[in-house]
């Protein structure tokens, strides 16, 4: 959220490699963030500022255990 609020352009890194570059609106997409971080990410827009916002939902996929 901080990068989206202050940067004109950002980069999304996935295991040390650039996955996407561009404006926060272009880079901070739910599908790309979810795949990169292994946790469902919800993406929206702050109505007061117009900035992109992100929010993790659930548990990191590598931390899920089955019994």
């Amino acid at each position: 959220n901080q990068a989206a609020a202050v940067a004109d352009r950002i980069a999304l890194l996935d295991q040390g490699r650039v996955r996407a570059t561009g404006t926060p609106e272009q880079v901070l997409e739910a599908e790309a963030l979810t795949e990169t971080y292994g946790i469902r990410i919800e993406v929206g827009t702050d109505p007061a500022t117009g900035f992109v916002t992100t929010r993790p939902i659930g548990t990191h996929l590598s931390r899920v255990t089955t019994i």
Side-chain angles (χ1 to χ4, degrees):
N1 292 338
Q2 291 177 345
V6 299
D8 294 327
R9 295 183 55 81
I10 60 174
L12 176 61
L13 301 178
D14 187 352
Q15 297 184 13
R17 296 183 180 184
V18 176
R19 179 177 177 138
T21 60
T23 66
E25 293 80 11
Q26 294 170 323
V27 174
L28 299 177
E29 295 181 337
E31 184 176 342
L33 293 171
T34 296
E35 290 175 3
T36 299
Y37 295 113
I39 185 170
R40 192 172 131 226
I41 305 290
E42 185 176 83
V43 178
T45 303
D46 184 316
T49 65
F51 296 137
V52 175
T53 61
T54 61
R55 183 174 72 126
I57 307 294
T59 304
H60 191 279
L61 298 176
S62 69
R63 295 185 185 159
V64 175
T65 58
T66 57
I67 296 175

